[in-house]
Amino acid sequence: MNSGIPRPDMWAGSGEPHPQGVHGMPVAGPPMFPGSNPPQMMGPRGVHRPMGLMGMPGPGGVPGQGMGFNGHPAMQRPPIGPSPGLVPPPLSSKPRTEEDDIKNIEALLKKKSFRELQKSKTGEELYVLIHRPTARETALAAKFKTKGGTQLKEYCKALTKEDCRRQRCNYLACEKVHVRRIIALHTDISLGDCSFLDTCRHMKTCKYVHYELDPTPALLPMPGMVGLPPPKPLRAEYCSEIELGEPQWINCDIRNFRMDILGQFGVIMADPPWDIHMELPYGTMADDEMRNLNVPTLQTDGLIFPWVTGRAMELGRECLELWGYRRIEELIWVKTNQLQRIIRTGRTGHWLNHSKEHCLVGIKGDPEVNRNIDTDVLVSEVQETSQKPDEVSINI
């Protein structure tokens, strides 16, 4: 509705009549901005009207250069396009080749599918389940464990107790096994260590440095210290004398000895005097004499462990078959010295120095045997001539 109430002129200048009011009704009144000359935003029809709004023509018809109210510059419309502060990364100038596409395809083909990943995961779980020891195997292994825990002792890297105390900066040496040097009048220290250490057959004349186990107390003697307890034995006692019984030897010529009077045995470990065509500190037997030994009378059901080396490895297998045994396994003894180093100047070997020795395992009949309780490789230090490692007897 048209109220017909006269209103002040909001757009015309001072004293200038408004051409037309609202809905065609003329209005007149004082100007809205008395005593001022506001910018003309509207005018008569057909007359150019300069505008100061953003993006509209300003003075001179130049877009974007008009003026706002009260002389303030009009807002500028941001230019269309990328921002001058954000520079897009340059595109790779190296074009893709057919070889790159082939590599991508090969990588995609080699990638496992979801089904393959699930199948692989299932296979791993089955592998772990299969190799997990059963309750019976765990109980069997616990049955043959050493009573009171392991008796194994490591060798100290310092070798001697004096060097160990010096490295520890302490009067007390560590609990590991130590050795001491054997320095005689004829020893030449500049030559270094003897390969055989304390097992050398010529220690009375050998000029190299030899070693022996050090049984002295680990604590360095101090002034006023008396009554020290005797050192503990270095050899672990695995069984009592009552269980093992007293050792017995028979001094005889084994080639003519009646072995049937000895009775039957469940396990036999033998170190036959094989003729390996080398100079040895004991007598040897010919091959035919070894084949004709009356070994079959000693066992009906049991195991035999003959030690072999050099050319006797083939002869030992032949003798096992002639004696009525079937070879089922073979142990290997890697020989080390007291410094836990492999002996490189072995006493046997025609082409290479032997640093190991073999022990065949033969079975006869149907004996009751504990299986899978140890490995077939033994690393142990050498002792006296022809003396085998104690660990072999313990495992047997």
Side-chain angles (χ1 to χ4, degrees):
M1 294 180 61
N2 189 358
S3 60
I5 302 174
R7 297 184 303 174
D9 191 356
M10 297 177 60
W11 310 103
S14 178
E16 186 178 13
H18 199 281
Q20 190 72 23
V22 182
H23 297 285
M25 294 185 63
V27 292
M32 185 176 180
F33 305 99
S36 63
N37 188 17
Q40 293 184 359
M41 300 181 63
M42 297 186 64
R45 293 181 181 275
V47 181
H48 175 69
R49 294 170 292 181
M51 299 296 291
L53 298 178
M54 180 177 60
M56 299 299 293
V62 182
Q65 294 186 1
M67 296 295 294
F69 293 103
N70 296 332
H72 295 285
M75 297 177 61
Q76 300 292 329
R77 181 185 295 274
I80 300 177
S83 175
L86 299 176
V87 181
L91 298 177
S92 177
S93 59
K94 184 179 179 180
R96 291 181 59 84
T97 61
E98 185 179 355
E99 185 178 356
D100 296 337
D101 296 337
I102 294 176
K103 289 182 179 179
N104 293 340
I105 295 175
E106 291 179 352
L108 186 61
L109 293 176
K110 291 180 180 179
K111 191 174 182 180
K112 292 185 178 180
S113 62
F114 179 78
R115 171 179 284 186
E116 291 175 342
L117 291 175
Q118 290 295 110
K119 188 175 181 180
S120 177
K121 183 178 179 181
T122 305
E124 292 176 359
E125 293 176 354
L126 290 176
Y127 181 82
V128 174
L129 184 63
I130 291 174
H131 287 77
R132 183 182 302 172
T134 62
R136 183 176 181 180
E137 293 174 345
T138 304
L140 185 62
K143 178 181 178 181
F144 288 93
K145 281 186 176 180
T146 306
K147 297 179 180 180
T150 178
Q151 303 294 330
L152 179 65
K153 289 188 176 182
E154 298 181 7
Y155 279 87
C156 179
K157 293 182 179 180
L159 299 183
T160 64
K161 292 185 177 179
E162 292 79 7
D163 295 338
C164 182
R165 297 188 189 103
R166 189 179 301 109
Q167 293 182 8
R168 289 163 52 93
C169 298
N170 198 332
Y171 290 103
L172 185 65
C174 66
E175 296 181 355
K176 297 181 180 180
V177 179
H178 298 81
V179 295
R180 60 184 178 185
R181 297 179 179 88
I182 302 176
I183 307 298
L185 296 177
H186 59 273
T187 303
D188 187 356
I189 301 178
S190 61
L191 297 177
D193 301 334
C194 178
S195 299
F196 301 106
L197 302 179
D198 62 340
T199 62
C200 180
R201 301 181 191 149
H202 310 286
M203 290 182 61
K204 295 182 179 180
T205 57
C206 182
K207 296 184 178 182
Y208 291 88
V209 178
H210 300 83
Y211 290 81
E212 64 180 357
L213 294 177
D214 190 355
T216 59
L219 182 62
L220 183 65
M222 300 293 294
M225 293 179 61
V226 293
L228 291 176
K232 295 181 180 181
L234 297 176
R235 182 182 180 276
E237 299 295 340
Y238 297 93
C239 300
S240 64
E241 294 181 358
I242 298 177
E243 293 174 347
L244 284 179
E246 300 239 348
Q248 299 180 11
W249 292 268
I250 299 178
N251 187 8
C252 65
D253 188 347
I254 196 174
R255 294 173 294 182
N256 304 320
F257 182 74
R258 287 187 53 190
M259 295 186 181
D260 57 331
I261 65 175
L262 298 177
Q264 295 280 316
F265 299 90
V267 177
I268 297 176
M269 186 174 69
D271 187 16
W274 308 102
D275 184 11
I276 58 175
H277 300 171
M278 292 189 67
E279 182 181 356
L280 299 172
Y282 52 82
T284 59
M285 294 175 56
D287 296 350
D288 289 338
E289 294 175 337
M290 196 68 67
R291 295 186 183 97
N292 296 328
L293 283 178
N294 194 14
V295 177
T297 60
L298 298 176
Q299 279 185 324
T300 303
D301 298 288
L303 297 171
I304 188 170
F305 296 81
W307 288 93
V308 295
T309 183
R311 62 178 294 271
M313 296 178 65
E314 290 77 14
L315 180 60
R317 290 177 172 83
E318 181 184 348
C319 289
L320 281 181
E321 186 177 355
L322 292 174
W323 296 340
Y325 292 89
R326 177 171 57 91
R327 190 187 70 84
I328 56 174
E329 282 290 352
E330 182 175 336
L331 302 177
I332 298 178
W333 170 28
V334 180
K335 300 180 179 181
T336 62
N337 55 27
Q338 278 75 5
L339 304 182
Q340 301 303 298
R341 299 170 184 168
I342 295 179
I343 293 181
R344 302 183 182 276
T345 55
R347 294 169 179 165
T348 60
H350 292 278
W351 306 98
L352 297 174
N353 290 323
H354 291 176
S355 298
K356 59 181 175 58
E357 198 166 339
H358 298 253
C359 180
L360 304 179
V361 182
I363 189 171
K364 184 178 182 181
D366 188 19
E368 185 178 354
V369 181
N370 295 318
R371 304 184 182 185
N372 303 325
I373 61 174
D374 214 324
T375 64
D376 58 350
V377 178
L378 173 64
V379 180
S380 180
E381 64 187 52
V382 296
Q383 302 180 49
E384 298 179 1
T385 303
S386 297
Q387 183 174 352
K388 307 307 177 185
D390 297 335
E391 292 84 351
V392 176
S393 301
I394 297 167
N395 292 338
I396 293 176

